[in-house]
Amino acid sequence: MLRIITLSFLVSAGAASAQSATDSATDMSEFSRGQQEYMSGCAACHGENADGNGPIATMFKTPVPDLTGIAERNDGKFPLLDVMHIIDGRMEVRGHGNPMPIFGRRFETETEDTAGVYGSEPMVRGRVLELVLYLQSIQK
């Protein structure tokens, strides 16, 4: 039940964030904010095409995962909530020096000054959700 409530809240936060993107004067694709988050925070390791071949991928002891194959590695289903938990730091990822950069904390730090402690939480969830929805949109 808690997962359903959490997911509902996250979808609402993401929808509000996506609506603000729609309302902007610029012509933005459906996943452009998530793609921007990906390019600024993930592409160095995972590559611009999310195939695990980023410019610094060779610096890691283990191969950097191909993020376009997440659903394929999960019997064809994209594990949205698990991916969110990995990105925001609630689920550890072993491999490249553990832990993976925790974007939930980075986003929280960026938003607390303008939104306050309580206002930053939905903003952080929205940004993580936008990133996850972008990853979901690029699955093979």
Side-chain angles (χ1 to χ4, degrees):
M1 179 68 172
L2 181 58
R3 286 185 125 185
I4 293 170
I5 292 169
T6 303
L7 187 55
S8 296
F9 173 76
L10 294 173
V11 169
S12 297
S17 184
Q19 182 61 42
S20 68
T22 303
D23 293 343
S24 73
T26 58
D27 182 29
M28 298 173 66
S29 72
E30 185 177 1
F31 301 108
S32 67
R33 284 190 179 201
Q35 183 177 19
Q36 289 170 359
E37 295 288 0
Y38 176 83
M39 291 300 179
S40 70
C42 311
C45 298
H46 293 280
E48 287 186 14
N49 297 321
D51 57 5
N53 294 314
I56 66 170
T58 58
M59 301 172 112
F60 300 108
K61 293 177 184 176
T62 59
V64 175
D66 174 351
L67 298 180
T68 65
I70 295 171
E72 185 177 69
R73 292 187 297 271
N74 287 282
D75 298 323
K77 296 177 184 168
F78 185 81
L80 189 130
L81 197 54
D82 288 343
V83 174
M84 288 189 75
H85 288 169
I86 290 168
I87 292 170
D88 73 12
R90 285 184 271 177
M91 186 182 294
E92 283 190 17
V93 174
R94 295 188 46 87
H96 53 71
N98 201 23
M100 185 180 85
I102 299 171
F103 290 93
R105 289 191 192 133
R106 186 189 99 195
F107 294 161
E108 184 177 39
T109 302
E110 292 174 5
T111 58
E112 268 188 8
D113 290 341
T114 56
V117 176
Y118 299 109
S120 69
E121 181 71 18
M123 290 174 74
V124 168
R125 299 276 179 232
R127 285 178 72 181
V128 171
L129 181 60
E130 287 171 342
L131 175 55
V132 173
L133 291 174
Y134 169 71
L135 291 175
Q136 185 178 32
S137 78
I138 62 170
Q139 295 303 294
K140 298 182 215 178

